[in-house]
Amino acid sequence: MKFPKLLLSLFVFAAISSVNAQSVSSELIEFQMLKAPKTPIDAASRQLKVTVTSPYNLKAEDVIAQSKVDFQSALKNYDNVVAESVKEFQTKEKDYDSDVLKAKEKFAMESAEFKKLSLLERLTMTDQGKNPKLVNPSKPVYYKPQPPVYREPNLNDYIIVDNNVLASQVTIDGFTREGNYVEVSLDVQKLNFQDNAGQTYANQPTKLVVKVNGVEKTNTTFFQEFKFISSSPTNNINKPLEEKNHLNKVMAFINQYLNDNFGYQSVKGSVKIQSVKNKGKFDDLEKADIYVTTNLRKLNPQNPQISASAMTNMQKGIEIWKETLTKVVYKDKNADFNAKIAEFVYFNLIRLNIALGNKTEAEKYLNEFQENQIYMKLSYDDENELKRLETGIYK
């Protein structure tokens, strides 16, 4: 019978397809690595000295002392406040009688005009609630001001800091304060507020000078332009709190600037690594996956020796990927090492090199990938990822 033969043929075809199919999976690997600065400095010379000048020299005890002085002043002035409130109430009482008379006069005039209208017009206005009504002003009520009560000041609203504290807040990753090979001078001016169209803007000129072994490397001033602070005018904001927040912003910016230019920062990264799990012919690719993923996780910015060893072992996996690409038969989709294998290996090499900051290597594999892309059937998501990787290389 032909029917059983057909079933047998389908079974054989399915078995062959299963053998030649590659099961590709992916894993997101998180790692840490050292970000090299724009101005590298020898490890033995990473010594920092910081000097700060600013208008800030406030202490917590100063705030509390001033708060008590303000309370005593308010207490002494309480009788004057009460007298002034009585005077203001008396004025409102006099104005009230006048306002009542004006309301009655207005009602009388509107009533006279209303009576001149036709019956239909009066009915229409009444239905619409537009007929004259006597609206008397609210009678003023006197409320005696409460006597002052002392409350401890909220120290979070104040800039309790001095130049030494500000200097201690300036740090460069990888540096100690045991010398002065790198000298940082920071001059922070007081915050200047400015009203503009009912909103608050501010600037705080901050000059940064950095010398490396006596040679000036940086001399620039930040925060000179007025920037938006609040949608309220200056007389409606908590100025001490706004200045404190802005100073924190300035110090955070200065630290980031110094670390980008001189610091040895530990940065977190992640990269998607794909692997093929079929046993036998792809055992080397599984080894490559193990070499790369385990050693990515071993990278330790605080221990250069461990990181160097991890990079050496990771290279073993990279070499397997590169060797695999030489075995690929692009035009034979049934080959063990076909275009599908090439696709995920190229993706791995491009992603990994971008993640490690090796954009030249990433570009090389991107170019190879694109030359052979005609033999690959990329999914919509893969095509979009390839575009993102290309952007990451050239930006």
Side-chain angles (χ1 to χ4, degrees):
M1 293 178 64
K2 292 184 178 180
F3 185 64
K5 289 183 178 180
L6 178 60
L7 285 178
L8 180 60
S9 299
L10 289 173
F11 175 79
V12 172
F13 176 76
I16 293 173
S17 298
S18 176
V19 170
N20 288 313
Q22 296 89 6
S23 175
V24 177
S25 61
S26 64
E27 182 181 7
L28 188 67
I29 308 300
E30 295 183 347
F31 62 94
Q32 285 191 327
M33 62 181 295
L34 196 66
K35 179 183 176 184
K38 296 177 183 178
T39 304
I41 293 174
D42 183 76
S45 302
R46 293 173 195 165
Q47 302 160 350
L48 175 66
K49 178 183 178 182
V50 181
T51 304
V52 176
T53 55
S54 77
Y56 304 111
N57 59 0
L58 192 61
K59 298 177 181 178
E61 50 265 36
D62 297 333
V63 175
I64 294 171
Q66 185 61 47
S67 179
K68 291 179 178 178
V69 169
D70 293 342
F71 170 69
Q72 291 299 324
S73 176
L75 207 57
K76 290 179 180 179
N77 192 49
Y78 177 63
D79 291 340
N80 293 333
V81 171
V82 172
E84 188 64 29
S85 70
V86 171
K87 182 179 178 182
E88 184 179 344
F89 174 71
Q90 291 171 343
T91 301
K92 288 181 179 179
E93 278 190 316
K94 292 179 182 178
D95 292 340
Y96 172 73
D97 294 335
S98 175
D99 291 341
V100 169
L101 182 60
K102 289 178 182 178
K104 290 179 178 179
E105 290 175 351
K106 180 182 178 184
F107 176 68
M109 290 176 59
E110 290 177 346
S111 296
E113 293 296 323
F114 184 72
K115 290 177 181 179
K116 295 178 183 179
L117 300 175
S118 66
L119 177 61
L120 180 60
E121 289 174 325
R122 292 198 301 272
L123 289 172
T124 300
M125 290 187 66
T126 301
D127 288 342
Q128 294 176 350
K130 296 180 179 179
N131 55 306
K133 298 181 182 67
L134 177 60
V135 181
N136 282 319
S138 299
K139 190 171 184 178
V141 179
Y142 178 70
Y143 296 99
K144 184 179 180 179
Q146 294 295 318
V149 176
Y150 178 73
R151 293 181 176 84
E152 289 290 340
N154 184 357
L155 298 180
N156 291 326
D157 291 345
Y158 295 85
I159 308 173
I160 302 175
V161 73
D162 59 24
N163 291 334
N164 290 332
V165 172
L166 289 175
S168 70
Q169 294 175 359
V170 177
T171 59
I172 302 180
D173 289 345
F175 282 70
T176 67
R177 294 180 184 267
E178 298 172 354
N180 59 356
Y181 190 82
V182 174
E183 295 181 86
V184 173
S185 299
L186 191 64
D187 180 42
V188 185
Q189 300 297 310
K190 188 171 178 60
L191 187 66
N192 303 305
F193 292 101
Q194 182 184 82
D195 282 309
N196 189 343
Q199 298 177 326
T200 299
Y201 291 75
N203 78 338
Q204 191 166 24
T206 302
K207 184 177 181 180
L208 174 67
V209 177
V210 181
K211 293 181 179 179
V212 177
N213 197 24
V215 179
E216 189 172 273
K217 296 292 184 179
T218 301
N219 188 333
T220 187
T221 302
F222 304 103
F223 298 99
Q224 298 185 83
E225 296 182 2
F226 281 86
K227 299 291 185 180
F228 174 82
I229 293 292
S230 172
S231 57
S232 301
T234 55
N235 58 350
N236 287 344
I237 64 173
N238 185 336
K239 288 185 179 179
L241 180 59
E242 292 293 347
E243 184 159 8
K244 177 182 178 180
N245 291 338
H246 196 273
L247 180 61
N248 289 337
K249 178 182 176 182
V250 168
M251 297 306 294
F253 173 86
I254 292 298
N255 272 333
Q256 189 60 58
Y257 180 89
L258 289 171
N259 277 286
D260 287 343
N261 284 275
F262 304 98
Y264 290 80
Q265 305 175 78
S266 297
V267 295
K268 291 183 178 180
S270 62
V271 60
K272 183 170 76 172
I273 300 295
Q274 291 178 292
S275 60
V276 59
K277 297 301 182 184
N278 302 58
K279 295 291 184 180
K281 296 174 183 177
F282 303 116
D283 285 351
D284 282 347
L285 282 173
E286 190 166 354
K287 287 180 183 177
D289 176 63
I290 294 170
Y291 277 131
V292 172
T293 57
T294 56
N295 285 287
L296 265 175
R297 295 188 179 101
K298 288 179 182 178
L299 291 176
N300 186 345
Q302 308 306 321
N303 193 320
Q305 290 182 335
I306 290 179
S307 289
S309 175
M311 291 296 290
T312 298
N313 289 324
M314 196 189 311
Q315 190 63 37
K316 296 177 183 178
I318 295 172
E319 292 300 325
I320 293 175
W321 286 341
K322 290 163 65 175
E323 176 66 23
T324 298
L325 291 175
T326 65
K327 303 175 183 178
V328 172
V329 182
Y330 287 98
K331 296 182 180 181
D332 184 358
K333 64 181 181 180
N334 293 320
D336 291 323
F337 296 94
N338 56 19
K340 185 177 180 181
I341 293 291
E343 177 187 334
F344 94 76
V345 171
Y346 274 124
F347 264 122
N348 280 350
L349 287 167
I350 296 169
R351 291 192 202 101
L352 181 61
N353 279 290
I354 291 176
L356 296 177
N358 304 326
K359 290 190 176 183
T360 301
E361 281 291 292
E363 182 184 17
K364 181 181 76 173
Y365 293 117
L366 173 67
N367 291 336
E368 291 182 17
F369 191 177
Q370 290 172 335
E371 287 177 8
N372 296 306
Q373 194 173 340
I374 190 174
Y375 305 110
M376 304 176 192
K377 293 182 179 180
L378 299 186
S379 68
Y380 175 80
D381 290 340
D382 286 340
E383 288 180 351
N384 284 334
E385 183 180 5
L386 192 61
K387 291 176 183 177
R388 289 194 297 271
L389 292 172
E390 186 173 9
T391 300
I393 291 172
Y394 294 111
K395 73 176 181 180

